[in-house]
Amino acid sequence: MKTHEKKRRLLVVDDATYLLFSFKRLLADMQDEWDMLFMDDPVAAFAMVCDSPVDLVITDCQMPAMLGTELVRKIKAVTPETVCIIMTGSESSTDRLLAMDEVSGVLEKPCSLADLRRSINESGEEHECTPEARRIMG
């Protein structure tokens, strides 16, 4: 990365701390391009985004403190330009999640590292996607 370029900010939210540790390790080589934040509490993640907006949020769908869908809706209400991707372990909920205006894509758990990287890299592209084009299969 060139020193004069501003790094984009990525926030990954998942209540499974072992997954956050894995994401952090697997995405370490992208730290030249992204300022990466990993949080296990969606309520604290929302408060952080309100104070310091991010470019991309990747959040788990099922969390006890707040559902990922609620987190995405709250984030988009405060920072509509933030790209939001939801991770789900339920294939049956993918179409419902893609139908949400606030959701830019869905990662089905478990997702491959290639799909995770592709979703991060494509998050900066500015184009309208149909729900089918936004589906990111793991």
Side-chain angles (χ1 to χ4, degrees):
M1 184 184 94
K2 297 173 187 164
T3 55
H4 67 279
E5 291 180 0
K6 180 182 173 201
K7 288 202 283 188
R8 294 178 291 171
R9 298 186 75 215
L10 163 65
L11 171 62
V12 181
V13 184
D14 198 313
D15 61 313
T17 53
Y18 71 93
L19 285 177
L20 289 178
F21 178 77
S22 295
F23 290 141
K24 187 175 186 176
R25 186 175 46 81
L26 292 170
L27 299 174
D29 64 333
M30 296 179 79
Q31 290 181 349
D32 286 344
E33 303 166 52
W34 291 89
D35 177 18
M36 297 186 192
L37 308 158
F38 301 88
M39 300 182 76
D40 62 359
D41 180 353
V43 175
F46 175 66
M48 190 277 307
V49 169
C50 288
D51 290 337
S52 182
V54 297
D55 299 293
L56 170 62
V57 172
I58 300 176
T59 183
D60 186 24
C61 188
Q62 294 295 322
M63 295 178 287
M66 179 188 304
L67 294 176
T69 52
E70 183 181 355
L71 176 61
V72 165
R73 283 188 178 113
K74 287 182 171 203
I75 288 172
K76 292 295 270 190
V78 175
T79 59
E81 67 280 359
T82 300
V83 175
C84 296
I85 297 171
I86 294 184
M87 297 181 290
T88 181
S90 171
E91 186 177 331
S92 63
S93 65
T94 300
D95 289 335
R96 177 183 55 83
L97 294 170
L98 286 170
M100 291 177 56
D101 289 337
E102 300 90 350
V103 175
S104 298
V106 174
L107 284 168
E108 291 181 0
K109 287 178 164 181
C111 68
S112 70
L113 178 57
D115 286 338
L116 179 61
R117 288 175 183 270
R118 183 172 47 251
S119 65
I120 292 169
N121 288 329
E122 290 176 354
S123 69
E125 296 177 8
E126 295 188 22
H127 63 280
E128 284 296 313
C129 292
T130 63
E132 193 58 35
R134 294 184 296 145
R135 181 186 305 264
I136 303 169
M137 302 298 283

